[in-house]
């Protein structure tokens, strides 16, 4: 029976070594190769018409760096993507508005080529708002038009609430402000039920994400349908697949949930960034698809109450990606909204 013991010991050692290797891998910091050009930037630059001048940069604030991509000149429009994605989710808007505006698309902390710190507190929207404000100072932009999708929408609207003097207009796509969402969690059983996935997200870790095949699930759930429907080209789909396939980055990006959405039973006043009753004073455009499973009427009603001047555009039969699925119509609505809020068009 000695050979059975030897096999058993060998298997045990393999398991221990594999487990140790996995643990070490999961604990190693996420790195960024800044010398390697962003393939998504190269794709847009290679097919651009005119002198948009696509370029990428990094900006460090309090020891953390954000990666951003910009093109064009004029009044600035800042784009903030959602989860699970990176700056490229606004490719249709970057290409459309880059001829008339300075477009700045940012990789959120944990995503794309931005830093992915391990401490959850770094992902609090208040801290990231300060980072964004510092980036605008670095870029020499005092006031901006700001656009966000999903988590980027919550961030963009919250930034408009926190820094009203820096925002000319705000466009939120497919998600309300954080204080409106938390209000819904507080009072609406339907919102609590639909947000149950958040608690599951918060328990994730890199090895588990690999084991569950999360990278494939992200692509199959979010991007493959857009490619199959002709809303993204195969090359664009490949960039999204590659840009969302790193389990450690996905886990870091989940820190947005861990840092900002407590369990509904644990909500406190300090969670309502920037505050429970913080208002949106800038002109606001809110865009939704009426098939979006994330839509919550209680949250949107609350956001409307908190907005001084807002308009909502809803696309029938569209889910969570109206700015991709109905890009032309979204761009038209955004162009009208941004032009109306432009100082150049002031009476």
């Amino acid at each position: 029976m000695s050979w059975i013991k030897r096999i058993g010991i060998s298997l045990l050692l393999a398991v221990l070594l594999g487990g140790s290797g996995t643990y070490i891998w999961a604990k190693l910091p996420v790195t960024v190769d800044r010398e390697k050009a962003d393939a998504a930037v190269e794709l847009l630059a290679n097919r651009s018409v005119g002198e948009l001048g696509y370029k990428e940069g990094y900006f460090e604030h309090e020891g953390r760096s954000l990666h951003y991509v910009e093109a064009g000149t004029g009044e600035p429009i800042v784009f903030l993507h959602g989860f699970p994605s990176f700056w490229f989710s606004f490719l249709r808007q970057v290409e459309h508005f880059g001829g008339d505006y300075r477009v700045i698309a940012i990789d959120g902390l944990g995503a794309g080529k931005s830093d992915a710190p391990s401490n959850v507190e770094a992902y609090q929207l208040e801290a990231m708002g300060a980072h964004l404000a510092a980036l605008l100072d670095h870029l020499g932009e005092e006031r901006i038009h700001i656009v966000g999708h999903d988590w980027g929408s919550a961030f963009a609207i919250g930034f408009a609430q926190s820094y009203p003097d820096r925002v000319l207009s705000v466009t939120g796509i497919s998600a309300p402000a954080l204080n409106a969402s938390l209000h819904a969690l507080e009072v609406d059983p339907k919102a609590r039920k639909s947000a149950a996935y958040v608690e599951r997200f918060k328990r994730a870790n890199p090895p588990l994400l690999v084991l569950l095949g999360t990278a494939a699930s992200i692509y199959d759930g979010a991007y493959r349908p857009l490619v199959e429907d002709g809303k993204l080209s195969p090359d664009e789909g490949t960039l999204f697949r590659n840009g969302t396939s790193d389990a450690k980055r996905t886990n870091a990006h989940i820190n947005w949930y861990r840092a900002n959405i407590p369990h509904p039973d644990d909500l406190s006043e300090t969670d309502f960034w920037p505050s429970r009753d913080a208002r949106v004073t800038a002109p606001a455009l809110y865009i939704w698809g009426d098939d979006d499973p994330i839509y919550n009427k209680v949250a949107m009603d609350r956001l409307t109450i908190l907005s001084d001047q807002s308009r909502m555009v809803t696309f029938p039969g569209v889910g969570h990606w109206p700015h991709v699925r109905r890009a032309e119509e979204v761009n038209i609505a955004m162009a009208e909204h941004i032009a109306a809020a432009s100082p150049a068009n002031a009476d």
Side-chain angles (χ1 to χ4, degrees), residues 9 23 85 101 106 117 121 131 135 152 161-163 172 218-219 222 267 293 300 316 339:
I9 292 172
Y23 178 82
S85 198
Y101 295 88
I106 298 172
E121 292 75 15
H131 197 160
L135 171 59
Q161 293 169 326
S162 297
Y163 298 85
I218 289 171
Y219 181 75
L267 277 171
M300 285 309 301

Side-chain angles (χ1 to χ4, degrees), residues 106-303:
I106 298 172
D107 277 333
L109 201 66
K113 297 182 71 176
S114 288
D115 282 353
S118 58
N119 56 312
V120 173
E121 292 75 15
Y123 298 84
Q124 291 177 343
L125 290 182
E126 181 176 5
M128 293 193 292
H131 197 160
L132 175 56
L135 171 59
L136 298 179
D137 291 340
H138 169 73
L139 295 174
E141 299 293 358
E142 179 61 30
R143 303 182 73 194
I144 61 170
H145 303 279
I146 191 166
V147 181
H149 171 246
D150 185 78
W151 258 115
S153 177
F155 187 14
I157 302 169
F159 188 84
Q161 293 169 326
S162 297
Y163 298 85
D165 294 338
R166 306 207 68 166
V167 175
L168 294 166
S169 75
V170 59
T171 301
I173 305 173
S174 303
L178 180 65
N179 62 347
S181 292
L182 295 185
H183 167 78
L185 284 181
E186 193 174 47
V187 304
D188 182 26
K190 181 180 177 182
R192 288 191 172 214
K193 183 177 180 181
S194 63
Y197 74 93
V198 172
E199 295 305 311
R200 295 193 294 272
F201 269 10
K202 287 154 69 172
R203 293 193 292 269
N205 58 66
L208 180 61
L209 293 173
V210 172
L211 182 64
L212 294 176
T214 301
S217 296
I218 289 171
Y219 181 75
D220 291 342
Y223 301 110
R224 184 189 297 278
L226 296 172
V227 173
E228 291 176 346
D229 292 344
K231 302 302 180 181
L232 294 175
S233 71
D235 286 345
E236 292 165 350
T238 297
L239 288 171
F240 279 112
R241 186 204 300 269
N242 294 341
T244 58
S245 62
D246 187 323
K248 291 170 70 173
R249 279 206 167 273
T250 299
N251 184 65
H253 205 177
I254 292 172
N255 281 331
W256 288 56
Y257 294 89
R258 298 183 181 110
N260 298 291
I261 304 183
H263 189 282
D265 293 338
D266 298 328
L267 277 171
S268 68
E269 287 300 316
T270 58
D271 296 315
F272 287 80
W273 180 75
S275 67
R276 179 185 289 274
D277 298 317
R279 301 193 63 79
V280 182
T281 58
L285 174 65
Y286 303 131
I287 297 174
W288 287 89
D290 69 359
D291 281 350
D292 190 341
I294 295 178
Y295 179 85
N296 178 269
K297 186 177 186 303
V298 172
M300 285 309 301
D301 286 348
R302 177 62 177 168
L303 180 58

